[in-house]
Amino acid sequence: MENWRERGACRFEDPELFFPLGESGPSMRQIEQARAVCHRCPVLRECRAWALRNSEYDGVWGGMTAGERRAAGLSAVSEPGPLWGR
């Protein structure tokens, strides 16, 4: 089975883009740039689910910041809701 990471749009980007220094102020521009990559990615859902399932505590994964993932909680993996369609 193919690894979903091999199909990620982020593999062609600078990894630093996905790890802003914060989640407010000047970091918001960087977060929006990272999200733009995520939103055109064919494996956005797999990436987001992986980050939620593994409690990834840093960076933008599946279009979500660490704070957004904490707020969504682990229930987002078992109960797909509005976040899955982004």
Side-chain angles (χ1 to χ4, degrees), residues 8-55:
C10 60
R11 72 187 187 283
F12 299 114
E13 303 290 335
D14 181 350
E16 293 295 319
L17 175 64
F18 300 92
F19 295 93
L21 296 177
E23 292 190 22
S24 62
S27 294
M28 289 306 298
R29 180 172 163 80
Q30 184 176 347
I31 290 169
E32 290 307 316
Q33 290 173 335
R35 282 186 174 144
V37 174
C38 294
H39 290 298
R40 70 171 192 263
C41 184
V43 293
L44 180 142
R45 290 181 181 200
E46 293 92 332
C47 179
R48 181 176 291 167
W50 183 91
L52 287 165
R53 190 172 48 250
N54 291 285
S55 301

Side-chain angles (χ1 to χ4, degrees), residues 26 70 77:
R70 281 190 298 275
V77 173

